[in-house]
Amino acid sequence: MEENDFVSIWLEENGNPAIKELTEINMDLAAKAVEILAYQGLSENDLAVSLDINPDEIKRWLTGRHSFSINMIRNISETLDIK
């Protein structure tokens, strides 16, 4: 694929809608998880222990600096009882 093809030019000018949507979904999930943690009186560290994950990784997810995998979305949803 050439560097200056139509798709590359369009993506450079407009961004990638799929990436934008994924970013929005991740940010929504992070906000919902933070809200539920507060409602349940749990900390990020409590979630990390429940998921057996490094607390720094939880912080990256909840601040939007790292995206969730589909498996992690399931695990967090089950752990926090998110529907």
Side-chain angles (χ1 to χ4, degrees):
M1 179 162 45
E2 290 185 22
E3 194 170 308
N4 291 325
D5 68 281
F6 173 76
V7 173
S8 296
I9 293 168
W10 188 90
L11 287 173
E12 187 174 317
E13 291 174 357
N14 299 293
N16 185 327
I19 292 173
K20 181 179 179 187
E21 182 179 3
L22 181 59
T23 300
E24 289 173 4
I25 290 169
N26 273 281
M27 293 305 292
D28 289 345
L29 178 58
K32 185 71 170 176
V34 168
E35 180 183 313
I36 290 172
L37 282 172
Y39 178 78
Q40 293 181 359
L42 300 172
S43 69
E44 293 174 8
N45 195 50
D46 294 328
L47 181 59
V49 169
S50 295
L51 296 171
D52 193 28
I53 293 177
N54 185 316
D56 291 334
E57 187 71 12
I58 297 293
K59 181 161 259 339
R60 283 191 288 274
W61 286 326
L62 298 181
T63 58
R65 292 182 290 157
H66 191 277
S67 61
F68 297 95
S69 70
I70 192 68
N71 288 335
M72 191 48 58
I73 290 171
R74 283 188 196 115
N75 290 343
I76 291 171
S77 296
E78 289 172 4
T79 299
L80 298 179
D81 196 29
I82 300 172
K83 304 290 186 246

